[in-house]
Amino acid sequence: MSVQQSFDSLPIPRHVAIIMDGNGRWARSQHKPRLFGHKAGVDSVQEAVECAGEWGIEVLTLYAFSTENWKRPADEVGGLMGLLKNYLLKELSRMLKNNIRLTCIGDIEKLPTDVRAVLETSIKETSGNDKLTLNLALSYGGRAELIRGIRNIVEKVRSGKLSVSDIDEDCMDAHLYTAHLPDPDLLIRTGGESRLSNFLLWQASYAEIYFTDVMWPEFRRNAFLDALREYQNRERRFGKTSAQIKSG
Ligand code: FPP
């Protein structure tokens, strides 16, 4: 049975979010510098995007650079920015061909001007696509996102555009970077750590979380498939009982 056939009767997550961890440790295991691990990580990014498109996942969010990652040594930060820029330049034609829309979340004002320019061009050029949304988290932090959202809401209340009673979960959703996206259904973290590291703190409230020891550079099609299979075996109850879910 092909992967696609076996998927037909099983739920496919609409939105998969991934914390791509383990590039540095993988590079060390190969006696190579950290950037070698990030470069190999770009190949895994490519494969994950390809799989997501094939399997009918609507949104793939990748945690490519956190607010905390700015604290890394300058050469590593520079190397990551270079990889991101090259990836975007190289992949634009493929995104257009494969109907992929690129979006991003995070404080992109902090990105180097040239990287930001390439990012903004790719976002604009792919904005009409509607098969897969590839959403890159760049200079992203969940706490900073919540604070930004709350500040925007407070400003609107102050200026009379919103009243306090309008503030509910939908209102909060609408004031986050992810306002254009459904919440993640499946959140994957590679690299053997079991924490959220400031990723999608609000949005992941009901996500199924999958931790794997596989290092990101080795997270290829079969490892992604394992995560998907595990998701398909979970019962998502959203606070209800198992019996309620089974009776529909
Ligand atoms: C975490 O591994 C990974 C990152 C901080 C960067 C992820 C970036 C890429 C995969 C490449 C560029 C991205 C795109 C979208 C083209 P780590 O360095 O923290 O690994 P460690 O925990 O083993 O040190």
Side-chain angles (χ1 to χ4, degrees), residues 132-150:
L132 168 70
T133 296
L134 171 60
N135 180 44
L136 297 182
L138 296 166
S139 192
Y140 174 85
R143 289 183 173 185
E145 177 186 38
L146 285 164
I147 289 169
R148 176 182 169 272
I150 291 165

Side-chain angles (χ1 to χ4, degrees), residues 151-218:
R151 282 189 181 148
N152 285 338
I153 292 173
V154 171
E155 279 304 319
K156 287 184 187 172
V157 171
R158 265 205 192 138
S159 63
K161 287 187 194 135
L162 269 183
S163 67
V164 170
S165 60
D166 291 328
I167 304 171
D168 57 11
E169 293 189 13
D170 289 341
C171 172
M172 195 67 227
D173 278 338
H175 288 84
L176 297 177
Y177 288 124
T178 48
H180 61 298
L181 301 172
D183 281 346
D185 302 294
L186 170 63
L187 191 152
I188 299 170
R189 181 176 185 139
T190 63
E193 312 283 1
S194 310
R195 53 178 171 260
L196 283 182
S197 296
N198 207 9
F199 190 44
L200 301 176
L201 298 179
W202 169 275
Q203 300 89 332
S205 298
Y206 279 98
E208 294 298 324
I209 303 187
Y210 177 86
F211 297 113
T212 171
D213 289 338
V214 176
M215 300 288 148
W216 178 250
E218 291 187 340

Side-chain angles (χ1 to χ4, degrees), residues 26-95:
W26 180 83
R28 199 172 55 216
S29 75
Q30 310 288 309
H31 311 287
K32 301 277 191 194
R34 295 179 58 80
L35 201 60
F36 182 80
H38 295 313
K39 279 189 187 144
V42 176
D43 296 336
S44 296
V45 167
Q46 246 162 1
E47 197 154 320
V49 172
E50 201 177 291
C51 292
E54 253 176 57
W55 299 340
I57 290 165
E58 288 171 40
V59 184
L60 178 67
T61 294
L62 300 177
Y63 203 4
F65 197 87
S66 71
T67 45
E68 290 74 26
N69 287 152
W70 292 114
K71 295 180 202 145
R72 292 195 175 193
D75 60 339
E76 185 171 344
V77 171
L80 279 166
M81 291 298 141
L83 287 179
L84 175 64
K85 183 177 164 186
N86 287 344
Y87 173 81
L88 294 171
L89 287 171
K90 199 168 133 264
E91 290 300 306
L92 179 60
S93 56
R94 209 193 315 231
M95 286 187 214

